[in-house]
Amino acid sequence: MEKVEHKTMRVNGINMHIAEMGQGPIVLFLHGFPELWYSWRHQMPFMAAHGYRVVAPDLRGFGDTTGAPKGDFTKFTTLHVVGDLVELLNIIAPDQKVFLVGHDWGAMIAWAMCLYRPDKIKALVNMSVPFFPRNPIIRPIVALRAIYGDEYYIIRFQEPGEIEEEFAQIGTKTVLEKMLTIRDPEPLKLPKGKPFDDSPVILPPWLTEKDVDYYATKYEHTGFTGGLNYYRALDLNWELTAPWTGAKIEVPVKFIVGDLDLTYNSAGVKFYINNGGLKKNVPLLEDVVILKGVAHFLQQEKPDEVNEHIHVFFQSFSSSETSAL
């Protein structure tokens, strides 16, 4: 990782921090919450060693990338974030298609990017969060509250400042330890006033004290609001994306998820993924990989397997281009 180069670039009105290494076709990695570019620390050197230029930004409002003034969540729609990334690609890869990898919120942004600007994407490996088409009948927050109740984490994240205050009382590092080590596949509930129990966190082998300290250093500086604003913009996304109702993902895709991932175990998701629903909405879906005994942060928990899946999938496109030449 000492070979990682860090840059700050002015894109779409914000200062975006990117980490990059290697030379060759670009692979753009998009992280989730509560994460940073650092979540791809195992994928970056692997892909760089296999002949790719890897680029992993801190997304808008995360880490060393600026967000909106005073935490304005209306500036955190998928249109804003995809706009950041399109401008980044216009600078570092003009007139090129890139490979895209996403996880968690990064996966949602990757799906949105493929909807809005498929001309920018050669192929996508997405993890944890499948593509769901826009439901024109009901707003996301209304639907989630009806299914999971008021203690569901996405509902608890809605009121600006509320969960931040509770997290501050617990401590940044403890919050990150609790969230990054979640293995319970049941819906994540964060009871008001006491979002986590008092049991001590035992870090798994794949998450070191040094890893947690890196995340904690950044989140202690920025707070959690930037990442939480993505959840707060869910209903606004729904309003703004009406023109894409019924649209499908028209780029080649491999989807990877752990069988203990809370997203995979959410209501109806297993059936949707495994019984043709995802394929219907992602016609160029080439493979679905279910990693056994793996939870949400799969690229950190099982880096070797994830690396191989990414490499093999993208290599097929690189090889076909070389043969065509």
Side-chain angles (χ1 to χ4, degrees):
M1 291 300 286
E2 65 276 2
K3 294 182 180 178
V4 173
E5 185 178 354
H6 295 272
K7 297 178 181 176
T8 299
M9 308 188 73
R10 188 69 179 171
V11 298
N12 200 25
I14 65 170
N15 295 321
M16 174 172 277
H17 164 251
I18 66 169
E20 66 172 320
M21 64 190 305
Q23 297 295 325
I26 289 178
V27 182
L28 181 64
F29 287 98
L30 308 180
H31 68 81
F33 177 85
E35 300 175 88
L36 301 164
W37 75 269
Y38 187 79
S39 302
W40 303 108
R41 62 194 176 279
H42 303 298
Q43 287 68 49
M44 293 179 70
F46 178 87
M47 293 300 287
H50 284 82
Y52 293 89
R53 179 185 176 190
V54 294
V55 179
D58 284 335
L59 295 178
R60 172 180 287 241
F62 284 93
D64 294 321
T65 296
T66 57
K70 299 181 181 176
D72 180 3
F73 74 85
T74 66
K75 305 301 185 188
F76 286 79
T77 70
T78 55
L79 291 165
H80 286 90
V81 183
V82 170
D84 301 340
L85 298 170
V86 166
E87 190 161 342
L88 173 66
L89 293 181
N90 286 342
I91 296 169
I92 67 172
D95 305 317
Q96 292 180 43
K97 288 190 173 188
V98 303
F99 293 113
L100 186 60
V101 182
H103 169 255
D104 187 78
W105 258 107
M108 293 183 68
I109 298 302
W111 292 126
M113 194 164 184
C114 290
L115 269 187
Y116 307 156
R117 293 301 302 272
D119 59 302
K120 292 285 187 184
I121 310 303
K122 194 177 299 184
L124 165 67
V125 173
N126 238 3
M127 303 181 213
S128 293
V129 182
F131 174 70
F132 292 105
R134 180 181 183 274
N135 182 340
I137 305 302
I138 188 168
R139 290 173 176 266
I141 298 305
V142 172
L144 290 169
R145 182 178 274 112
I147 297 169
Y148 299 112
D150 288 337
E151 290 187 348
Y152 187 54
Y153 77 105
I154 294 177
I155 305 303
R156 291 280 282 115
F157 288 172
Q158 291 305 300
E159 183 60 36
E162 184 176 281
I163 198 71
E164 288 96 324
E165 190 174 317
E166 293 182 28
F167 284 175
Q169 292 171 7
I170 297 165
T172 299
K173 186 172 181 179
T174 300
V175 169
L176 288 165
E177 288 176 336
K178 290 284 189 181
M179 296 197 74
L180 291 169
T181 57
I182 288 170
R183 297 193 70 77
D184 186 350
E186 294 302 309
L188 177 59
K189 301 291 183 73
L190 302 176
K192 194 165 186 177
K194 193 177 177 61
F196 302 108
D197 61 36
D198 295 324
S199 60
V201 176
I202 299 172
L203 296 181
W206 56 267
L207 187 68
T208 68
E209 197 74 32
K210 179 183 174 184
D211 296 331
V212 176
D213 285 343
Y214 183 85
Y215 288 118
T217 298
K218 296 300 180 181
Y219 276 93
E220 281 168 1
H221 178 69
T222 64
F224 289 97
T225 300
L228 295 169
N229 280 340
Y230 287 67
Y231 297 92
R232 292 168 184 158
L234 279 168
D235 275 354
L236 183 55
N237 284 332
W238 179 85
E239 290 179 18
L240 297 175
T241 56
W244 287 274
T245 302
K248 300 179 187 298
I249 301 295
E250 300 287 358
V251 303
V253 173
K254 173 183 268 191
F255 181 73
I256 312 173
V257 67
D259 68 346
L260 297 180
D261 194 320
L262 50 82
T263 58
Y264 185 59
N265 290 276
S266 297
V269 172
K270 284 184 186 178
F271 185 85
Y272 172 73
I273 290 173
N274 296 313
N275 290 274
L278 182 60
K279 176 69 174 176
K280 179 183 176 184
N281 293 308
V282 186
L284 300 181
L285 179 67
E286 297 192 13
D287 195 12
V288 171
V289 178
I290 313 295
L291 298 179
K292 301 297 181 186
V294 179
H296 183 65
F297 299 98
L298 67 171
Q299 83 274 36
Q300 299 179 70
E301 183 178 347
K302 292 293 181 182
D304 293 344
E305 291 92 323
V306 169
N307 288 350
E308 194 61 26
H309 281 299
I310 294 171
H311 177 236
V312 169
F313 188 56
F314 289 164
Q315 189 179 38
S316 65
F317 296 92
S318 300
S319 302
S320 62
E321 283 184 2
T322 305
S323 344
L325 293 173

PDB file of all heavy atoms in Angstrom, residues 275-287:
ATOM      1  N   ASN A 275     -34.197 -16.029  -8.245  1.00  0.00           N
ATOM      2  CA  ASN A 275     -35.318 -16.537  -9.036  1.00  0.00           C
ATOM      3  C   ASN A 275     -35.674 -15.637 -10.220  1.00  0.00           C
ATOM      4  O   ASN A 275     -36.832 -15.567 -10.625  1.00  0.00           O
ATOM      5  CB  ASN A 275     -36.543 -16.758  -8.141  1.00  0.00           C
ATOM      6  CG  ASN A 275     -36.342 -17.920  -7.194  1.00  0.00           C
ATOM      7  OD1 ASN A 275     -36.600 -19.073  -7.525  1.00  0.00           O
ATOM      8  ND2 ASN A 275     -35.840 -17.623  -5.999  1.00  0.00           N
ATOM      9  N   GLY A 276     -34.679 -14.949 -10.751  1.00  0.00           N
ATOM     10  CA  GLY A 276     -34.882 -14.248 -12.015  1.00  0.00           C
ATOM     11  C   GLY A 276     -35.216 -12.786 -11.936  1.00  0.00           C
ATOM     12  O   GLY A 276     -35.203 -12.091 -12.963  1.00  0.00           O
ATOM     13  N   GLY A 277     -35.513 -12.264 -10.739  1.00  0.00           N
ATOM     14  CA  GLY A 277     -35.881 -10.849 -10.630  1.00  0.00           C
ATOM     15  C   GLY A 277     -34.729  -9.920 -10.988  1.00  0.00           C
ATOM     16  O   GLY A 277     -34.892  -8.969 -11.758  1.00  0.00           O
ATOM     17  N   LEU A 278     -33.552 -10.211 -10.427  1.00  0.00           N
ATOM     18  CA  LEU A 278     -32.388  -9.373 -10.715  1.00  0.00           C
ATOM     19  C   LEU A 278     -32.006  -9.469 -12.183  1.00  0.00           C
ATOM     20  O   LEU A 278     -31.716  -8.455 -12.828  1.00  0.00           O
ATOM     21  CB  LEU A 278     -31.212  -9.784  -9.822  1.00  0.00           C
ATOM     22  CG  LEU A 278     -29.929  -8.966  -9.972  1.00  0.00           C
ATOM     23  CD1 LEU A 278     -30.170  -7.494  -9.653  1.00  0.00           C
ATOM     24  CD2 LEU A 278     -28.820  -9.532  -9.079  1.00  0.00           C
ATOM     25  N   LYS A 279     -32.032 -10.659 -12.722  1.00  0.00           N
ATOM     26  CA  LYS A 279     -31.674 -10.865 -14.134  1.00  0.00           C
ATOM     27  C   LYS A 279     -32.638 -10.124 -15.060  1.00  0.00           C
ATOM     28  O   LYS A 279     -32.232  -9.579 -16.102  1.00  0.00           O
ATOM     29  CB  LYS A 279     -31.672 -12.360 -14.451  1.00  0.00           C
ATOM     30  CG  LYS A 279     -31.418 -12.717 -15.907  1.00  0.00           C
ATOM     31  CD  LYS A 279     -29.998 -12.416 -16.333  1.00  0.00           C
ATOM     32  CE  LYS A 279     -29.733 -12.923 -17.741  1.00  0.00           C
ATOM     33  NZ  LYS A 279     -28.378 -12.565 -18.221  1.00  0.00           N
ATOM     34  N   LYS A 280     -33.889 -10.053 -14.678  1.00  0.00           N
ATOM     35  CA  LYS A 280     -34.877  -9.339 -15.489  1.00  0.00           C
ATOM     36  C   LYS A 280     -34.546  -7.855 -15.593  1.00  0.00           C
ATOM     37  O   LYS A 280     -34.697  -7.244 -16.654  1.00  0.00           O
ATOM     38  CB  LYS A 280     -36.272  -9.512 -14.881  1.00  0.00           C
ATOM     39  CG  LYS A 280     -37.375  -8.781 -15.632  1.00  0.00           C
ATOM     40  CD  LYS A 280     -38.718  -8.954 -14.927  1.00  0.00           C
ATOM     41  CE  LYS A 280     -39.808  -8.138 -15.630  1.00  0.00           C
ATOM     42  NZ  LYS A 280     -41.102  -8.218 -14.914  1.00  0.00           N
ATOM     43  N   ASN A 281     -34.071  -7.288 -14.476  1.00  0.00           N
ATOM     44  CA  ASN A 281     -33.775  -5.855 -14.445  1.00  0.00           C
ATOM     45  C   ASN A 281     -32.331  -5.530 -14.825  1.00  0.00           C
ATOM     46  O   ASN A 281     -32.000  -4.369 -15.078  1.00  0.00           O
ATOM     47  CB  ASN A 281     -34.080  -5.301 -13.050  1.00  0.00           C
ATOM     48  CG  ASN A 281     -35.560  -5.337 -12.736  1.00  0.00           C
ATOM     49  OD1 ASN A 281     -36.375  -4.842 -13.511  1.00  0.00           O
ATOM     50  ND2 ASN A 281     -35.916  -5.940 -11.616  1.00  0.00           N
ATOM     51  N   VAL A 282     -31.492  -6.575 -14.848  1.00  0.00           N
ATOM     52  CA  VAL A 282     -30.094  -6.429 -15.261  1.00  0.00           C
ATOM     53  C   VAL A 282     -29.849  -7.478 -16.346  1.00  0.00           C
ATOM     54  O   VAL A 282     -29.262  -8.534 -16.092  1.00  0.00           O
ATOM     55  CB  VAL A 282     -29.131  -6.622 -14.066  1.00  0.00           C
ATOM     56  CG1 VAL A 282     -27.686  -6.328 -14.461  1.00  0.00           C
ATOM     57  CG2 VAL A 282     -29.544  -5.732 -12.894  1.00  0.00           C
ATOM     58  N   PRO A 283     -30.318  -7.239 -17.557  1.00  0.00           N
ATOM     59  CA  PRO A 283     -30.297  -8.266 -18.603  1.00  0.00           C
ATOM     60  C   PRO A 283     -28.910  -8.826 -18.913  1.00  0.00           C
ATOM     61  O   PRO A 283     -28.779  -9.986 -19.315  1.00  0.00           O
ATOM     62  CB  PRO A 283     -30.874  -7.547 -19.831  1.00  0.00           C
ATOM     63  CG  PRO A 283     -31.621  -6.378 -19.294  1.00  0.00           C
ATOM     64  CD  PRO A 283     -30.946  -5.981 -18.033  1.00  0.00           C
ATOM     65  N   LEU A 284     -27.863  -8.012 -18.708  1.00  0.00           N
ATOM     66  CA  LEU A 284     -26.508  -8.469 -19.002  1.00  0.00           C
ATOM     67  C   LEU A 284     -25.807  -9.017 -17.755  1.00  0.00           C
ATOM     68  O   LEU A 284     -24.579  -9.101 -17.712  1.00  0.00           O
ATOM     69  CB  LEU A 284     -25.684  -7.327 -19.614  1.00  0.00           C
ATOM     70  CG  LEU A 284     -26.246  -6.757 -20.930  1.00  0.00           C
ATOM     71  CD1 LEU A 284     -25.339  -5.659 -21.465  1.00  0.00           C
ATOM     72  CD2 LEU A 284     -26.421  -7.851 -21.974  1.00  0.00           C
ATOM     73  N   LEU A 285     -26.602  -9.411 -16.752  1.00  0.00           N
ATOM     74  CA  LEU A 285     -26.056 -10.068 -15.567  1.00  0.00           C
ATOM     75  C   LEU A 285     -25.464 -11.412 -15.977  1.00  0.00           C
ATOM     76  O   LEU A 285     -26.163 -12.292 -16.462  1.00  0.00           O
ATOM     77  CB  LEU A 285     -27.167 -10.281 -14.531  1.00  0.00           C
ATOM     78  CG  LEU A 285     -26.779 -10.991 -13.235  1.00  0.00           C
ATOM     79  CD1 LEU A 285     -25.832 -10.123 -12.404  1.00  0.00           C
ATOM     80  CD2 LEU A 285     -28.033 -11.343 -12.428  1.00  0.00           C
ATOM     81  N   GLU A 286     -24.154 -11.560 -15.800  1.00  0.00           N
ATOM     82  CA  GLU A 286     -23.468 -12.765 -16.258  1.00  0.00           C
ATOM     83  C   GLU A 286     -23.250 -13.784 -15.161  1.00  0.00           C
ATOM     84  O   GLU A 286     -23.094 -14.971 -15.425  1.00  0.00           O
ATOM     85  CB  GLU A 286     -22.131 -12.391 -16.912  1.00  0.00           C
ATOM     86  CG  GLU A 286     -22.317 -11.537 -18.162  1.00  0.00           C
ATOM     87  CD  GLU A 286     -21.038 -11.397 -18.979  1.00  0.00           C
ATOM     88  OE1 GLU A 286     -20.082 -12.152 -18.731  1.00  0.00           O
ATOM     89  OE2 GLU A 286     -21.018 -10.532 -19.871  1.00  0.00           O
ATOM     90  N   ASP A 287     -23.233 -13.330 -13.898  1.00  0.00           N
ATOM     91  CA  ASP A 287     -22.946 -14.274 -12.817  1.00  0.00           C
ATOM     92  C   ASP A 287     -23.408 -13.693 -11.499  1.00  0.00           C
ATOM     93  O   ASP A 287     -23.319 -12.485 -11.273  1.00  0.00           O
ATOM     94  CB  ASP A 287     -21.431 -14.548 -12.772  1.00  0.00           C
ATOM     95  CG  ASP A 287     -21.069 -15.781 -11.944  1.00  0.00           C
ATOM     96  OD1 ASP A 287     -21.985 -16.551 -11.602  1.00  0.00           O
ATOM     97  OD2 ASP A 287     -19.866 -15.964 -11.662  1.00  0.00           O
TER      98      ASP A 287
END
